[in-house]
């Protein structure tokens, strides 16, 4: 599956799983390697870097930003192979 197809399906699933959430596509042209998605839900937020598979390469600084934003709230790499785990973690983060 192409990353863009997975991302589109993921956004739809996020909106269904977290009713009322806002999903914002970040611009890596503005900040190189910023995670792809910002999810705003009630008074919480999270960032997700979308990959087409768990073996996909990571660009420079992507690890840094996922760790950086993970310390502030929740951030993770998400792909089809770990999607359910990450969505469960995201649900835990939003409910805490």
């Amino acid at each position: 599956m192409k990353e863009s197809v997975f991302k589109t399906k993921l956004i739809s699933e996020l909106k269904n799983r977290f009713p009322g959430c806002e999903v914002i596509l970040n611009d890596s042209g503005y900040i190189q390697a910023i995670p792809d998605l910002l999810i705003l839900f009630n008074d919480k937020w999270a960032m997700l870097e979308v990959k087409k598979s768990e073996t996909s390469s990571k660009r420079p600084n992507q690890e840094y930003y996922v760790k950086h934003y993970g310390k502030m709230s929740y951030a993770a790499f998400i792909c089809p192979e770990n999607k359910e785990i990450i969505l469960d973690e995201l649900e835990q983060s939003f409910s805490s």
Side-chain angles (χ1 to χ4, degrees), residues 11-60:
I11 290 169
S12 178
E13 188 166 348
L14 287 164
K15 290 181 177 186
N16 286 330
R17 190 160 178 167
F18 306 106
C21 79
E22 294 182 33
V23 180
I24 298 168
L25 296 170
N26 291 318
D27 180 4
S28 64
Y30 177 65
I31 299 176
Q32 190 269 332
I34 192 165
D36 296 313
L37 303 176
L38 170 64
I39 302 101
L40 305 170
F41 185 65
N42 297 327
D43 61 342
K44 309 270 192 222
W45 62 273
M47 296 187 92
L48 297 176
E49 174 59 38
V50 180
K51 295 293 182 186
K52 70 178 179 177
S53 77
E54 61 187 0
T55 59
S56 295
S57 63
K58 296 175 177 129
R59 292 184 309 220

Side-chain angles (χ1 to χ4, degrees), residues 3 8-9 17-18 22 24 27-29 31 36-37 46-47 51 58 61 63 67-68 78-79 82-83 86 91:
E3 184 177 306
T8 300
K9 289 180 179 185
R17 190 160 178 167
F18 306 106
E22 294 182 33
I24 298 168
D27 180 4
S28 64
I31 299 176
D36 296 313
L37 303 176
M47 296 187 92
K51 295 293 182 186
K58 296 175 177 129
N61 293 330
E63 291 273 0
K67 286 179 186 175
H68 175 71
I78 189 167
C79 61
N82 74 356
K83 180 184 78 165
I86 297 301
E91 190 168 340

